[in-house]
Amino acid sequence: MIKQSAAITLLAAMLAGCATAPAPVASPSSNDGVDGLACVGAIGAAAPGLVEAPNPPLMAQAQRQSGNGYLCSARSYVVTQPVRLYRLIDSTQPYSKLGSFWSFERPTGTRDDYRAKFAICKQWSQLDRLLSCDVRPGSMIVVGTTQSADCGDGITYAKTAANQVFVPNDGLAGIVHTGGCVDQGAWPAAGN
């Protein structure tokens, strides 16, 4: 009788546990950010020299929750031939030359327009010098839409459809995936 009572108690506990189990969480859609909130726009077609190659750990490095900058939606690629990228840097921070965030397109417009397009807070960079480099074949990169940024000084930038390129450069660790760099000079150029 005791064994039967213990079995009934165990069965009741197991059934009660099933009744209170949380419902499965739906996986985010392909255009949702890591926080499940919708991103803006879409990731453009792969540039020549890029082949899509899923790399979840690298994508996790490139994406952040809303308000934190970085990428919103993301896809990872392997580089099969050199791909030219552009980066605006802070001339007072030489280590920023080979950072992680780049663009396929040469920057145009004003500094304020560029900040808003790519959600770049003033305290992150002066954006006063233009650099172009090639990503080396065999490297893995991530391309994605721009995540929003809360700069903490009353300025916030919204998510945008602008595609950015995340290159996992880490100069302190001696990991650099870019080469053939050309200093394009002060930015914006005189007259802009």
Side-chain angles (χ1 to χ4, degrees), residues 2 20 30 39 47 51 60 105 119 133 139 159 179 189:
I2 294 176
T20 59
S30 62
C39 300
V51 174
E105 300 169 1
C133 296
S139 299
K159 296 175 184 181

Side-chain angles (χ1 to χ4, degrees), residues 37-79:
L37 300 176
C39 300
V40 175
I43 299 168
L50 299 180
V51 174
E52 191 168 355
N55 186 329
L58 184 60
M59 289 171 36
Q61 287 180 42
Q63 293 178 282
R64 293 289 183 271
Q65 293 189 0
S66 297
N68 292 301
Y70 283 66
L71 301 182
C72 190
S73 58
R75 279 193 205 126
S76 53
Y77 299 87
V78 65
V79 180

Side-chain angles (χ1 to χ4, degrees), residues 28-191:
S29 77
S30 62
N31 199 37
D32 284 348
V34 294
D35 53 10
L37 300 176
C39 300
V40 175
I43 299 168
L50 299 180
V51 174
E52 191 168 355
N55 186 329
L58 184 60
M59 289 171 36
Q61 287 180 42
Q63 293 178 282
R64 293 289 183 271
Q65 293 189 0
S66 297
N68 292 301
Y70 283 66
L71 301 182
C72 190
S73 58
R75 279 193 205 126
S76 53
Y77 299 87
V78 65
V79 180
T80 59
Q81 65 186 38
V83 176
R84 178 61 51 159
L85 299 177
Y86 298 89
R87 178 172 169 79
L88 286 175
I89 63 169
D90 186 329
S91 63
T92 66
Q93 300 174 10
Y95 61 86
S96 73
K97 285 176 83 171
L98 300 177
S100 296
F101 289 92
W102 299 76
S103 173
F104 289 121
E105 300 169 1
R106 184 183 183 92
T108 60
T110 68
R111 191 173 284 118
D112 288 341
D113 291 344
Y114 194 84
R115 283 189 194 288
K117 182 177 181 179
F118 292 106
I120 302 170
C121 299
K122 287 182 181 180
Q123 61 267 36
W124 297 347
S125 177
Q126 289 187 49
L127 303 177
D128 64 348
R129 196 147 195 93
L130 177 60
L131 184 70
S132 63
C133 296
D134 291 328
V135 182
R136 295 183 178 120
S139 299
M140 291 286 301
I141 64 170
V142 179
V143 178
T145 60
T146 298
Q147 180 59 278
S148 58
D150 180 351
C151 299
D153 56 1
I155 296 175
T156 59
Y157 293 108
K159 296 175 184 181
T160 74
N163 279 210
Q164 294 188 59
V165 181
F166 176 83
V167 179
N169 285 335
D170 183 346
L172 295 175
I175 300 169
V176 178
H177 298 276
T178 49
C181 298
V182 176
D183 184 332
Q184 303 280 325
W187 193 88

